[in-house]
Amino acid sequence: MRILYLTTYYLPHSSGITAYLHCVARALAQRGHTVTVLTSRHDPALSDDESLDGVRIIRLPVLFRVSKGPVMPTFLWDIHRYLRTHDVVHVHLPFLESAYAALLNRGRIPLILTVHADLHLPAGFSNRLASAAVNVMQRFAARRADWLCSFTWDFAQHSDLLADYLDKTLVIHPPVTVAASTQADVADFRKKYALEGTLIGFSGRFAEQKGLHVLFDALAHVLQRMPHVRLALAGEYRNVVGEDYYERLRPQLEEFGDRVALLGHLDGQELASFYAACDVLALPSINPMETFGLVQVEAMLCGTPVVATDFPGGRQAVRLTDMGRIVPPRDSTALAEALLAVLQNPGQYTKPRAEIERVFSYERAIDLHEELYRSNRIVQDDRAFEQANASHEVGQELKVV
């Protein structure tokens, strides 16, 4: 099959959306499909046409940005051309130009939308105007889509967009894979970055919605009771599109001194060793746009419990595995208490890797994407699994449906 993906950003831009999409695209290319990604040329230094892991990447020029959203003036011409040469088009929202894709497609090939998040931009007149425009465009596309997809049924039910289209919403848990780490790998990693003692981890770019300022406030509380704890931050922090968050956080970072370690972007074996080296991973998100958090499952696969914020979708990894705690957003005291609870009783929150893989199956996720593209339907998606385990309590056996 010839599969066309539309997304605002793609590699080398680092985010959960790009990591998820490249994982799916690469896997389907390995299965013999022709996979093309149409995206923005967010950095002028990037090539406008290249291949990566068997996936063709077409990057369109950016005229300007509205908040973090690039405006691509040639999109109408380019999408018309690529729609005619593909068998299915899969759009990843938020995506300003989704309506144009739906309009020009006219039902000729299956149109699928994955809603990664409802759009919640920072306060300001221009951002309110941009949000309104994007939401109108996306609703137009949703009405004409064959299917809409969500990572979790929890998010779908609470989504401003998906809640109106639940009758054609499918749930596909994201494919997550991470290398296994040996004790020697972890020891080498700790030595390389001079990480001693008990570690709280964070994985993600420095963006305000990630809530690092809440985590810093929580860390101050944790250090009062466990002075030997350190916080290790993995992810881009200086050159993050549309953000000056690092500069605003620098005073707090300087106050903590060597209690906080900035590791920068990690991938491959180093990322796996980072997760395994941490005693707990924190996701202190303050914005409901954080609707899953792939890093949660990556950490769990490496044996590390998670403390996550109570947002629809974002709480599901902990809910379905019992491998951590859930806390209210923006509550640094609750976050500190949850981190301490996990650090002081890690065995209560640790599960075997095989159990996490059973909940979030990589192969099943790829199979469901392929099944949808081949037949424009899915016999049984992951909604049934979530509903069967919605009331799962610690110590109960997960049901397999």
Side-chain angles (χ1 to χ4, degrees):
M1 289 194 70
R2 299 166 299 174
I3 304 163
L4 176 64
Y5 289 114
L6 307 183
T7 184
T8 302
Y9 290 100
Y10 198 65
L11 296 179
H13 178 80
S14 177
S15 72
I17 295 178
T18 56
Y20 149 77
L21 181 52
H22 187 64
C23 184
V24 174
R26 178 184 58 209
L28 291 172
Q30 290 171 348
R31 293 187 179 191
H33 300 286
T34 299
V35 183
T36 303
V37 175
L38 196 64
T39 187
S40 69
R41 192 179 180 185
H42 63 273
D43 182 344
L46 294 172
S47 170
D48 58 3
D49 190 343
E50 68 170 311
S51 291
L52 177 64
D53 296 332
V55 179
R56 186 184 180 190
I57 308 167
I58 308 296
R59 298 189 181 93
L60 305 183
V62 175
L63 184 62
F64 59 89
R65 286 188 177 87
V66 178
S67 188
K68 299 178 186 178
V71 175
M72 299 173 279
T74 67
F75 179 82
L76 277 172
W77 167 255
D78 288 293
I79 188 59
H80 180 70
R81 181 157 51 100
Y82 286 104
L83 285 171
R84 290 182 298 174
T85 58
H86 287 80
D87 302 310
V88 61
V89 56
H90 191 161
V91 187
H92 292 267
L93 308 184
F95 191 75
L96 173 64
E97 293 85 355
S98 56
Y100 300 133
L103 182 64
L104 291 174
N105 182 48
R106 299 191 188 93
R108 286 180 295 186
I109 61 176
L111 170 64
I112 301 160
L113 309 180
T114 288
V115 182
H116 291 268
D118 294 321
L119 192 61
H120 297 274
L121 295 178
F125 176 76
S126 61
N127 281 339
R128 287 199 302 272
L129 193 63
S131 292
V134 172
N135 288 330
V136 168
M137 301 282 264
Q138 292 185 163
R139 284 192 172 275
F140 180 92
R143 286 195 297 271
R144 287 155 179 77
D146 294 273
W147 296 102
L148 292 94
C149 295
S150 173
F151 285 165
T152 66
W153 185 238
D154 179 41
F155 170 67
Q157 292 175 299
H158 292 87
S159 164
D160 294 338
L161 179 58
L162 288 172
D164 292 333
Y165 300 97
L166 293 178
D167 60 329
K168 59 176 182 178
T169 294
L170 301 171
V171 176
I172 305 177
H173 290 159
V176 184
T177 180
V178 64
S181 293
T182 65
Q183 290 184 344
D185 292 329
V186 175
D188 290 344
F189 180 84
R190 279 181 170 264
K191 182 178 180 180
K192 176 179 178 179
Y193 290 98
L195 299 173
E196 298 178 353
T198 302
L199 285 183
I200 298 172
F202 168 87
S203 181
R205 68 193 187 283
F206 270 49
E208 187 165 7
Q209 70 196 51
K210 302 292 184 180
L212 275 169
H213 57 286
V214 179
L215 179 56
F216 289 169
D217 290 342
L219 178 62
H221 291 294
V222 171
L223 288 172
Q224 291 175 6
R225 290 162 60 180
M226 297 182 71
H228 59 285
V229 167
R230 295 190 69 190
L231 173 62
L233 307 176
E236 296 289 348
Y237 57 94
R238 290 187 184 276
N239 301 310
V240 180
V241 176
E243 294 282 351
D244 62 354
Y245 196 44
Y246 169 68
E247 294 301 324
R248 288 187 281 134
L249 291 177
R250 282 184 69 177
Q252 281 182 287
L253 284 167
E254 291 169 359
E255 286 181 17
F256 283 118
D258 65 0
R259 291 294 89 194
V260 178
L262 294 172
L263 308 184
H265 177 72
L266 302 176
D267 56 21
Q269 185 60 60
E270 275 211 321
L271 182 60
S273 296
F274 161 75
Y275 288 129
C278 292
D279 296 280
V280 62
L281 189 81
L283 274 81
S285 309
I286 61 171
N287 188 310
M289 286 188 70
E290 296 289 309
T291 61
F292 188 79
L294 297 174
V295 297
Q296 295 188 79
V297 181
E298 291 174 343
M300 291 173 181
L301 288 169
C302 294
T304 302
V306 173
V307 175
T309 305
D310 191 8
F311 282 125
R315 59 198 175 198
Q316 283 301 84
V318 171
R319 276 184 168 183
L320 292 173
T321 63
D322 288 323
M323 199 165 167
R325 297 283 291 268
I326 301 169
V327 297
R330 300 179 183 270
D331 191 334
S332 59
T333 302
L335 177 58
E337 291 300 324
L339 290 170
L340 285 165
V342 174
L343 292 174
Q344 292 167 350
N345 191 12
Q348 180 179 337
Y349 303 99
T350 303
K351 306 291 180 182
R353 182 178 178 119
E355 186 170 321
I356 307 305
E357 290 175 333
R358 185 156 58 95
V359 178
F360 297 103
S361 167
Y362 174 87
E363 289 298 330
R364 174 171 169 78
I366 302 303
D367 289 344
L368 288 176
H369 281 86
E370 189 173 37
E371 180 183 344
L372 178 59
Y373 299 155
R374 284 189 184 280
S375 61
N376 198 25
R377 67 186 183 93
I378 289 178
V379 175
Q380 181 174 290
D381 62 12
D382 288 327
R383 180 190 310 189
F385 183 91
E386 286 199 30
Q387 290 174 327
N389 293 287
S391 60
H392 177 58
E393 302 291 342
V394 175
Q396 290 182 346
E397 185 67 21
L398 287 174
K399 303 172 186 175
V400 179
V401 295

